[in-house]
Each structure stands twice: as structure tokens, then as C-alpha cells.
Amino acid sequence: MEEEYLKVSPARVAQALAADYFCIYYVNTKNNKFIEYSASEEYRALGLPRSGEDFISFSRERFESIIYPEDQERFLDGFVKEKIISELDAHGIYKLAFRLMFNGVPTYVQLKVTRMIEKEGSHIVIGISSVDEQMKAMEAFEMAHHASITFGRVATALAGDYFSIYVVDLDTDHFVEYSATKEFDTLGVEKNGEDFFNLSRRNMSRLIYEDDRERFMGTFYREKVMSILERDKIFTMKYRLVFGDTPVWVSMKATLLEDNDGRHLIIGTNNIEAQMEREAEYQRRVREARTSARNDFLANMSHDIRTPMNAIVGYTNIAKTNKHKPETVADALDKIGSSSHYLLSLINDILDISKIESGKMQISYGPCDLAALFRRIEDITELQAKKKFLVITYRYDSVRHYQVNADELRLEQILINIISNAIKYTPSGKTVDLIAEEVPSPGGKNKYRFIIRDTGIGIKEDYMPHIFESFTREERTTVNRIQGTGLGLAITAKIVEMMGGTISVKSKLGEGSEFTVELELEPLETDSPANADNSESIDLAGRRILLVEDNAINAEIARMILEQYGAEVQQAENGEIGLEALQEKGPGYYDAVLMDIQMPVMNGFEATKAIRALGGAYATALPIIAMSANAYDEDVRDCLAAGMNGPIAKPFNPDELMRILRRYISAD
């Protein structure tokens, strides 16, 4: 019988097992005959036969008597012919670890079954090797972790429920898996062992979803994970594992636990498929909402921009064809001016909300004269109210300190936005009121309360929560005919917030609305409204103005306005030419410079710095006023940083230009 088995040499058997075993059995699964080739002396001392029949029955009967009692049940359950053949068919290998009694001492061994590659395919090779040292080391490792790292501490470190939790000893790279679910067990990964990272990468190379594999493998290695942990104290990663044929989103979270028991890496993996589906659905709805809001906004803007543009184009043609009818031309020009002002307000709203959303809008504090500000507001809003036949009143009785530290431009914008809104939504014959109050408060600042009250159409209750949202307008037949971006109140609320104040609204449908803005402003030493600029026009006769502007139309408009007030104007097409003109004429020749910002060759900032760098009292004190389409926030600061005295926004009106010049050009 031994000759029959020797058709397969011991060398081939050893090659098949690819390891050193103290015992090798060669079994024919058709007739269950077996032969043992290379048993060690220690193994032979157990008194087991070297050949025979019915190997499975022999093994179950004889091994049961020499197996450590606690492992007998596991051996008998596992060492069944059908189970062995099934595992060989599925995985090509079968392993079973248990303890044999050698001289009364339990010793860990591992039984490994493989098939021989032969024509009949009926022979298997069974090798038994000692794994006592490895298993005792692992046993000690597990005992240490059970003693020092309880499951509760692991769960606390991971801060959540995970279907798999690994604990890795970073000094030895031993690992134990604590809480794998049946779902995780189907992946066939080790529950304990050594060389955690390399073993995990090997497993993941076959388990991870194809689209996520490169990202995972490029990140999940020891050096990278530890580097991130040292920097962020936590390592997280989302990817998809393939369960069967289905990719499932999971989230890995790793934390580092350092204590008296050493350094341990705790890694949890959680199924987040439902969460990712909810997130994808949420993102889809957000995209749809943004698309809808954008489309609505563009539709509104298309209508709102075309309306004043149609008026500008139409009345321009009317003025051209009625040159000999002064009244018709004057009426057309008035309507062109009104439409232009409205178009400019639309553009300013869009630019402001863009700055707010990008975080670029800032508040610039400086001396502010509330008396002058109130007069400007009256000039603008009285005309608006008059055109609608409204009664508008202004009360500032309790204001005592008119000189305050504030962002004058933004404060004016707040009040103009709310009052203009009140006028817009108040029918003819009704009233609008602006009330300003000053209330002392601690901390060196005074509270200023601005109340804008109207007897207009009011606001529907269900729209009130959305009144300060961007791109929204109340959808009512009485309202939809009114133009606007739906940005004014959103911008106003944001500016109030940035200034540290509050804004609130009360309204009753059909009866009117009341907006209240409260700001804390620091009063300055001068507190009399008499210090405000008077409204007298400046006489520029004999004054020389250097106009540095590259746009011919803008230059022509500025020249005509200045010459209308008696000024002598010289134009320079860019900053370099302007600098040369000023040097050529010498100190004292020009009384002021109007400087554009964006120009070729040398821009306004560069030219201003070059002028100031000339030195001397004249170059230092010469008024340089920026003409900019962006006269807000950081643009104002950039002008001042370059050495300019201040900006005037384009397109500018004559009154504003004269007010600026009056501030910087003193009378003889």
C-alpha cells in the first residue's frame, strides 16, 4: 500500500504545503486511505499509525483523546469530510487550529489541508505544524487588551457604533478585531494577526470598490495615517466596500489611544450608505433650488433691467427727434435721469450682495455728520414721495449728538433702502415717517434708533420670515408690478449686522409696516448740526483741475461739469501723462486732481503714489480725488492707502462732485 502512495513523492508533498510541518498526511479521498510521511519523533511518541484506512474516522477517534479538552468540541465540529471538501472547493485551502497534549502540556498546532495537482484530483495533503509561540503571543496580546482597553473605552474613543472595530498595537503591529457583524464576516478578513497595515491593504485591494481603490491605497498606509493623526488627532476616510456585487458606502475613523499600556490605534468602520443617499438627495434638492432661484432671479433682472433701459433708449430717441420742442426734451431728459438712477441702484444691489456673499464687504468707520446725512436723505426721498403724492415727515427731536464715528456711506444706504421701500409699497395719499432717536447707553457709545413707519399695503404674515432673504419678493398681484431685485432688505440687514446693530419689522396687512434699526455709535466732541457743509455752490472760477481719465466720454462729462462752474480743465489719458503734466507745470499750478483708478500704462494708485513721492508741501497737500466705479469698502481703503484724499463714485452727479471739491478746495 505504501508503494501506491509513493506515486507522489515527499518532495512534491512538501512543495504543495510550502512550509515545514512536523507531520504530513497524504489522503486519497476516494477510498479514504492515508499515509504519514514525515512525522517528528515527538509526534510519533503519540503512538499514532503511519498508514491505514478511513482517515477521517481515525482522526476524529484518535485525535479526540490527545486534544486539549477545551478544543475537542471545536475540532470535532470542524474536522468533517464534507466541510473540508466544501472549503477546498470554495477557497482551495482548509485550516483548523487546536491544542494537542504533548507530555501533558497543551501545545497549539495548526492543521492545513490542500489539494495535490494531479489528473485524478482526489488526493489531499494534510500538514500539522506547531504554532504555539505565535498563538501564545496573540493570547497574551488579547488578554492585555481585554484587561486594559475595555470595549466601553473603545466605543468612547470611536464616539459611535461601528460594525467593525480594530485595536492595533503600534509597537508590535499585532491587531484584534472586536465587533465584526455577520455582514463584515462575509468579507473573509482576519480577526487577529500581525502586520496590520500591509494585511489591510492586501484585503482592501480585492474588497474596495474599483472607483475608490486608488484613493484608498494612496492614503491608507502606516506613515500617512500616523502623520495625519499627529496633525489632526483623528483620521477619517469614506469609501465603498463591495458586499457580494453591491458597493456600499462605509466610513473609517481612526484615533490614537496612548496610556500606560502603550500606543494603540483604534479603527472603526461604519455603514453610511443610508447617510450618503440622504446627502445625495439633499444635494440634488439644493442644486434644483439654486437653479430655480437663479432662473427666477435672472428672469426678474432681465425684466427689471430692460424696463429702465427701454425708457432710456426710448426717451433718448424722443429727445433727438424733438430738438425744437424744449418742453418735450426736458421731460424726456427727466425720465432718462430717473430711469438711469433706478438702473444704477439695480447694479449697486447686485454688486453689494456679491461682496456680502464673498465676505469682501467691510465697514469703514470715520467721522460722520448725521445732520448732513439727514439732509441728503430728505433731498432724495422727498422727491420720491412727491412723485407718488405721499406725505413724508422727518423727526430728529431727541438727537443731541450729530457728530459720530460711523460708516456714513453704509448708514445712509440703510436708511435710503428702507425709506425707498416704504415709498415703493405705499399707495398715493398715504404717509411715510422717518424718526431718529438717541438713547444714552453705557460704554462710551449712544444708542441711535431709526424708525421708518408707513401706512402702506403691509406684509403678509407668511412672508415675514423671508423678508430679509436674498432674491425674494412677495408674490402678490398688487406687488408684482413693482420693480426690484429683492436684494435691498437683505443687504440692509447684513450691513446692520456688520455694524453690530439690530433690525426688526412689524406689519399688518392693509395697514402698513414699521422697520426699526438700532445702532450703537460713538459720539465725537463736536456735536452741533451747525458744522455741516452748507448747500451753497462752489465757485471754481480761476481754479485749475487736472483730469486724469482714459475714457473719452467720461472725461467729456467731467470736463463739461467742471467748466460749467468756471474751472479750467486739462485732461491726461493715463497716470504717467498726468504725472508728467504735473511736473511740467510745477508746484501750485493745479488746485486739485481728479484721478481715475483703472487706466493703461500707469493706473490711478500708481500715479498717486508717484505724485506723493515727489516730496514737498505742494505734492503732499495737493487734493487727489479718486473717480471709481467701486467707491465702497476695500476700494475706499485702497484709495486712502495710495495717498488719495477720498473717492467719488462713477457715474457721479454734479452736486456730489461739487460737494467733494468744496471739502478740499478752500476759498481765497
Side-chain angles (χ1 to χ4, degrees):
M1 182 177 69
E2 186 168 337
E3 291 180 357
E4 178 183 350
Y5 285 99
L6 287 175
K7 290 178 182 178
V8 180
S9 68
R12 290 184 62 198
V13 173
Q15 183 180 4
L17 291 172
D20 296 322
Y21 292 84
F22 61 68
C23 173
I24 298 175
Y25 285 96
Y26 182 44
V27 183
N28 186 327
T29 57
K30 287 184 177 179
N31 56 25
N32 287 329
K33 292 182 178 181
F34 69 92
I35 186 171
E36 186 268 321
Y37 273 105
S38 56
S40 65
E41 294 298 326
E42 185 183 27
Y43 184 75
R44 287 178 180 172
L46 295 174
L48 300 176
R50 298 192 63 190
S51 62
E53 298 182 357
D54 197 7
F55 178 76
I56 298 296
S57 297
F58 148 75
S59 300
R60 289 173 61 84
E61 178 184 346
R62 299 296 297 273
F63 273 73
E64 182 179 6
S65 63
I66 59 175
I67 287 178
Y68 187 57
E70 292 183 9
D71 296 348
Q72 287 179 2
E73 184 177 352
R74 181 156 53 88
F75 176 83
L76 293 174
D77 288 344
F79 201 73
V80 179
K81 182 177 181 178
E82 291 75 13
K83 180 176 286 189
I84 294 171
I85 298 301
S86 174
E87 286 293 312
L88 289 174
D89 290 340
H91 305 293
I93 193 170
Y94 175 79
K95 293 181 181 180
L96 184 63
F98 51 92
R99 281 167 288 187
L100 286 177
M101 300 298 294
F102 287 98
N103 298 321
V105 178
T107 302
Y108 277 104
V109 299
Q110 179 175 260
L111 182 148
K112 176 181 175 182
V113 185
T114 58
R115 276 197 173 100
M116 289 296 294
I117 302 174
E118 57 183 348
K119 185 177 293 186
E120 295 85 355
S122 59
H123 298 96
I124 61 175
V125 179
I126 301 174
I128 303 176
S129 63
S130 174
V131 292
D132 198 51
E133 290 185 7
Q134 297 96 309
M135 293 300 291
K136 285 181 178 177
M138 185 61 65
E139 207 171 55
F141 174 68
E142 290 185 17
M143 289 178 62
H145 281 291
H146 281 295
S148 63
I149 306 177
T150 65
F151 185 84
R153 288 179 65 196
V154 173
T156 301
L158 290 171
D161 297 321
Y162 292 83
F163 64 66
S164 170
I165 298 176
Y166 280 90
V167 178
V168 184
D169 188 325
L170 290 173
D171 295 326
T172 64
D173 229 14
H174 285 300
F175 67 89
V176 176
E177 192 275 329
Y178 277 99
S179 59
T181 61
K182 291 181 179 179
E183 181 185 33
F184 187 77
D185 283 338
T186 63
L187 298 175
V189 299
E190 291 77 3
K191 294 179 71 67
N192 53 58
E194 300 179 359
D195 199 11
F196 172 76
F197 281 97
N198 287 332
L199 191 59
S200 297
R201 286 171 61 83
R202 202 158 51 240
N203 286 330
M204 287 301 174
S205 66
R206 65 181 176 85
L207 296 174
I208 205 160
Y209 186 54
E210 181 180 14
D211 292 352
D212 300 339
R213 189 172 299 141
E214 182 178 352
R215 177 170 55 87
F216 182 91
M217 300 300 284
T219 304
F220 194 76
Y221 55 92
R222 185 184 177 108
E223 293 77 10
K224 182 75 170 180
V225 172
M226 295 307 298
S227 173
I228 294 174
L229 281 170
E230 289 174 5
R231 184 192 67 201
D232 302 333
K233 309 303 180 187
I234 192 168
F235 173 88
T236 58
M237 194 174 188
K238 294 178 182 178
Y239 51 91
R240 283 162 289 188
L241 288 177
V242 179
F243 290 88
D245 296 325
T246 305
V248 176
W249 276 105
V250 299
S251 174
M252 174 196 292
K253 176 182 176 182
T255 57
L256 186 61
L257 185 62
E258 296 185 87
D259 54 22
N260 294 333
D261 298 303
R263 298 167 67 245
H264 300 96
L265 189 63
I266 303 176
I267 301 176
T269 308
N270 192 22
N271 186 327
I272 58 168
E273 181 68 18
Q275 174 188 330
M276 294 299 285
E277 288 178 358
R278 290 194 299 270
E279 186 174 322
E281 175 64 16
Y282 171 75
Q283 292 298 333
R284 183 187 65 79
R285 292 182 178 179
V286 168
R287 287 194 298 271
E288 289 179 355
R290 285 177 176 170
T291 300
S292 176
R294 181 192 63 193
N295 291 341
D296 290 345
F297 172 66
L298 291 176
N300 287 338
M301 288 306 300
S302 176
H303 173 269
D304 290 347
I305 288 176
R306 286 177 182 275
T307 298
M309 282 302 300
N310 286 338
I312 292 169
V313 173
Y315 283 110
T316 298
N317 290 329
I318 289 173
K320 285 181 178 179
T321 56
N322 290 274
K323 294 178 181 178
H324 303 297
K325 298 179 180 178
E327 292 182 0
T328 302
V329 171
D331 181 63
L333 291 175
D334 283 343
K335 290 172 179 174
I336 289 171
S338 176
S339 297
S340 299
H341 178 79
Y342 173 66
L343 181 59
L344 183 60
S345 72
L346 290 178
I347 295 170
N348 285 337
D349 279 353
I350 296 169
L351 294 175
D352 276 346
I353 202 66
S354 175
K355 286 187 177 184
I356 288 172
E357 293 186 347
S358 66
K360 292 183 177 179
M361 176 176 279
Q362 297 182 14
I363 301 300
S364 300
Y365 287 96
C368 170
D369 186 342
L370 292 179
L373 183 145
F374 290 151
R375 275 198 300 275
R376 290 198 302 274
I377 290 174
E378 290 180 21
D379 290 341
I380 295 169
T381 57
E382 266 187 334
L383 181 60
Q384 294 176 348
K386 184 178 180 181
K387 289 180 178 179
K388 286 197 66 174
F389 301 101
L390 300 176
V391 177
I392 186 165
T393 60
Y394 309 91
R395 295 210 320 264
Y396 322 120
D397 300 343
S398 68
V399 176
R400 299 183 309 282
H401 299 88
Y402 284 85
Q403 305 297 320
V404 295
N405 185 37
D407 188 326
E408 184 172 343
L409 184 67
R410 292 305 180 187
L411 180 54
E412 181 175 339
Q413 186 178 3
I414 290 170
L415 299 178
I416 289 290
N417 275 354
I418 301 176
I419 298 171
S420 296
N421 229 41
I423 293 171
K424 185 188 298 185
Y425 291 99
T426 301
S428 299
K430 300 289 186 176
T431 62
V432 175
D433 301 317
L434 167 62
I435 303 167
E437 301 174 343
E438 181 181 349
V439 182
S441 62
K445 293 185 178 181
N446 287 349
K447 180 180 290 184
Y448 288 80
R449 182 180 297 119
F450 304 95
I451 302 170
I452 296 92
R453 184 184 299 136
D454 66 67
T455 55
I457 62 176
I459 304 166
K460 291 177 65 175
E461 185 176 349
D462 60 354
Y463 182 68
M464 289 286 281
H466 308 286
I467 195 166
F468 296 121
E469 293 178 4
S470 302
F471 308 118
T472 60
R473 288 192 293 197
E474 190 175 2
E475 296 297 326
R476 288 158 58 190
T477 56
T478 57
V479 175
N480 291 346
R481 292 191 301 271
I482 297 174
Q483 299 173 334
T485 59
L487 296 173
L489 288 178
I491 293 169
T492 298
K494 184 62 179 178
I495 295 172
V496 170
E497 178 187 339
M498 293 175 70
M499 294 178 73
T502 61
I503 183 170
S504 59
V505 58
K506 296 186 296 185
S507 185
K508 192 168 183 180
L509 196 62
E511 295 185 13
S513 305
E514 180 178 299
F515 286 80
T516 302
V517 174
E518 291 189 348
L519 298 169
E520 285 193 346
L521 303 175
E522 179 185 359
L524 302 179
E525 291 183 4
T526 305
D527 58 9
S528 171
N531 291 308
D533 289 342
N534 58 50
S535 58
E536 296 178 4
S537 297
I538 185 173
D539 182 5
L540 296 180
R543 301 292 187 178
R544 300 187 186 94
I545 307 295
L546 177 60
L547 176 62
V548 188
E549 169 67 71
D550 65 316
N551 184 282
I553 294 177
N554 288 343
E556 183 178 359
I557 293 171
R559 179 190 291 274
M560 291 179 67
I561 293 172
L562 293 168
E563 290 179 345
Q564 183 180 356
Y565 288 88
E568 179 183 336
V569 181
Q570 179 179 342
Q571 182 191 354
E573 287 75 18
N574 59 57
E576 185 176 79
I577 297 174
L579 177 62
E580 291 173 354
L582 193 138
Q583 289 176 302
E584 180 184 340
K585 297 298 184 181
Y589 186 81
Y590 293 109
D591 295 285
V593 178
L594 292 180
M595 181 77 73
D596 187 27
I597 300 298
Q598 297 184 10
M599 294 180 293
V601 184
M602 179 183 284
N603 65 38
F605 295 142
E606 295 167 340
T608 300
K609 290 177 181 177
I611 292 171
R612 299 303 189 205
L614 293 176
Y618 173 70
T620 302
L622 176 66
I624 303 177
I625 299 162
M627 297 186 299
S628 172
N630 301 307
Y632 297 128
D633 304 327
E634 69 274 8
D635 307 301
V636 175
R637 281 186 293 277
D638 289 342
C639 291
L640 298 176
M644 296 176 175
N645 295 83
I648 180 170
K650 292 191 296 187
F652 49 76
N653 63 53
D655 290 340
E656 181 67 13
L657 178 57
M658 291 305 109
R659 186 177 70 83
I660 293 289
L661 288 175
R662 181 169 57 245
R663 180 184 301 175
Y664 294 110
I665 300 179
S666 59
D668 289 334

